[in-house]
Amino acid sequence: MDKTPDVESQSLGRAPLESAEKLRTALRHGVFFLRRMDNTRELTSQQISLMSMLTDGGVRMTTIAANLGVRTPTATQSVDRLMKSGLVERQPDPADARAVLVKLTRRGHNVIAAEDRHRNEVVAKVLARLDDKELAALDAAMPVLEKLASPRGGMTGEHQPRPGVRRD
Amino acid sequence: MDKTPDVESQSLGRAPLESAEKLRTALRHGVFFLRRMDNTRELTSQQISLMSMLTDGGVRMTTIAANLGVRTPTATQSVDRLMKSGLVERQPDPADARAVLVKLTRRGHNVIAAEDRHRNEVVAKVLARLDDKELAALDAAMPVLEKLASPRGGMTGEHQPRPGVRRD
DNA sequence: TATCCATAGTTAGTTAAGCTAACTTATTCT
DNA sequence: AGAATAAGTTAGCTTAACTAACTATGGATA
């Protein structure tokens, strides 16, 4: 949708384009940072995200997919893998026979807790190298990042996760 | 109670753990944000990262891999795909017959430029919804994020990209 | 100089994580 | 009751990682 640059694009001509460039690379590097942390332990970031949302009880497949921003088959698949590792289990939803509730197993609970703790410690150790000013800057930016990243505040009215392929 | 302000001695027991938690989720959501932007156009973030480093001339496979933080087979593979799309090409390195120089094709140049412009505009549009204070906060945090994410400032003396598999 | 080891890339095979399309089973709505 | 909708799964494909094993070139050194 190439909307002709009307009203608010005037506010766009300024710094934002530079900031956008910087933000993009910073985020990209942030991804690397997260990923670099992925080794050493047995779970990927995706798996952590998924399991983290199960700590308070069973969650439906559809909800999982929506929260992760992926399609349901992807959620099914991820859950399958975690099930094979004995970290989560499926249960019928008493409220709806079509639906499924995904829950952490006992072991899943332990694993996610330990993993979370470990990662926080690792990040904390890195944060410890920052001086107070830098830490404050980071802290101040966090809610802004959250706001940007939230589906609502972000962009993309619909969520439309990924194109998959489309080779040309 | 707690919150003993004697700074650097134990350093780790205090706030950092909370900040770490927040940072981790913020970054994770940032990833979603980036990914949500991936549709609509024909390149993935990885491909953009790769192509971006070729804008100034041919780059060796090994260098590409190192810059992306992946192993060489992964770089080979990614380059293969981009080659199939006609966006990059391989050339022998005159300085070393074992090596290969990966370059953007004419079309690759055009595509990466357009893509970059487009993404900056999209992000800028989102940034435009922030007030000055929020924008300033983001701006202030950017260098800190960069510092964290840089291989040196980050962690992991060696780079050791990802565990790949390790099924149990 | 001839051998030996290190370096640059590729190939093969595996996994995780996405997607769409098509399908089954329940639920809901008219 | 019958049609439409919603929840999940299955199948088949792509991208992006990894390791292990290989080829070929470049350097070192005995």
Side-chain angles (χ1 to χ4, degrees):
Chain A
M1 41 180 68
D2 2 292
K3 41 175 51 180
T4 55
D6 43 21
V7 191
E8 57 190 14
S9 44
Q10 290 161 332
S11 58
L12 215 147
R14 310 175 308 160
L17 269 183
E18 283 176 44
S19 295
E21 176 84 47
K22 278 196 292 179
L23 178 59
R24 282 179 56 218
T25 50
L27 277 184
R28 216 157 43 195
H29 293 172
V31 175
F32 283 173
F33 170 65
L34 269 189
R35 260 222 316 249
R36 227 178 291 133
M37 202 164 51
D38 269 352
N39 34 16
T40 61
R41 301 301 274 236
E42 49 181 315
L43 294 175
T44 67
S45 288
Q46 291 308 314
Q47 293 175 320
I48 295 212
S49 297
L50 201 166
M51 290 177 69
S52 294
M53 71 180 75
L54 305 183
T55 47
D56 295 333
V59 176
R60 285 204 184 168
M61 219 36 124
T62 317
T63 309
I64 291 177
N67 287 349
L68 289 178
V70 301
R71 303 288 189 197
T72 44
T74 303
T76 294
Q77 212 179 7
S78 301
V79 166
D80 281 349
R81 281 192 282 261
L82 288 174
M83 243 177 73
K84 209 179 307 181
S85 307
L87 297 173
V88 306
E89 57 188 355
R90 279 180 171 84
Q91 280 184 358
D93 183 345
D96 186 336
R98 295 169 299 179
V100 145
L101 290 180
V102 181
K103 294 182 56 178
L104 290 176
T105 60
R106 181 72 112 328
R107 191 174 147 242
H109 261 109
N110 296 340
V111 167
I112 187 65
E115 187 66 33
D116 217 54
R117 203 181 323 119
H118 171 260
R119 285 178 185 231
N120 282 344
E121 278 167 15
V122 170
V123 173
K125 206 171 291 177
V126 179
L127 288 182
R129 296 192 193 170
L130 301 180
D131 59 47
D132 286 355
K133 207 173 149 196
E134 293 172 316
L135 238 166
L138 211 53
D139 241 46
M142 230 79 92
V144 184
L145 255 186
E146 288 289 355
K147 181 176 174 183
L148 282 183
S150 79
R152 191 69 68 257
M155 39 188 281
T156 64
E158 321 86 83
H159 102 308
Q160 206 184 24
R162 271 202 59 191
V165 178
R166 182 175 49 235
R167 77 349 184 49
D168 28 303
Chain B
M1 42 132 79
D2 51 52
K3 174 74 174 149
T4 52
D6 70 87
V7 194
E8 55 191 1
S9 30
Q10 293 99 337
S11 64
L12 218 148
R14 309 176 308 157
L17 270 182
E18 284 176 43
S19 294
E21 176 85 48
K22 278 196 292 179
L23 178 59
R24 281 180 56 219
T25 51
L27 277 184
R28 215 155 45 195
H29 293 172
V31 176
F32 285 174
F33 170 65
L34 271 188
R35 257 224 318 253
R36 227 177 292 133
M37 203 163 51
D38 269 351
N39 33 14
T40 61
R41 301 303 273 239
E42 48 180 315
L43 293 175
T44 67
S45 289
Q46 292 307 317
Q47 294 176 320
I48 295 213
S49 297
L50 202 167
M51 289 176 68
S52 293
M53 72 180 74
L54 305 182
T55 49
D56 294 334
V59 177
R60 284 201 184 172
M61 219 36 121
T62 317
T63 309
I64 291 177
N67 286 350
L68 289 179
V70 302
R71 304 286 188 198
T72 44
T74 304
T76 294
Q77 213 178 8
S78 301
V79 167
D80 280 348
R81 281 192 283 262
L82 288 174
M83 243 177 73
K84 209 179 308 181
S85 306
L87 297 173
V88 306
E89 57 188 356
R90 278 180 171 86
Q91 281 184 358
D93 183 345
D96 187 335
R98 295 167 299 178
V100 144
L101 290 180
V102 181
K103 294 182 56 177
L104 290 176
T105 60
R106 183 69 113 328
R107 191 173 149 242
H109 261 109
N110 296 340
V111 168
I112 187 63
E115 187 66 33
D116 216 55
R117 205 180 322 122
H118 171 259
R119 286 180 183 229
N120 282 343
E121 279 167 13
V122 169
V123 173
K125 208 170 289 176
V126 179
L127 288 181
R129 297 191 192 171
L130 301 180
D131 58 47
D132 287 355
K133 208 174 148 197
E134 293 172 315
L135 237 165
L138 211 53
D139 242 45
M142 230 79 93
V144 183
L145 256 185
E146 288 290 355
K147 181 177 174 183
L148 282 183
S150 79
R152 190 70 66 258
M155 39 187 278
T156 65
E158 321 86 81
H159 103 311
Q160 206 185 24
R162 271 199 60 190
V165 178
R166 183 174 46 233
R167 88 311 193 76
D168 29 305

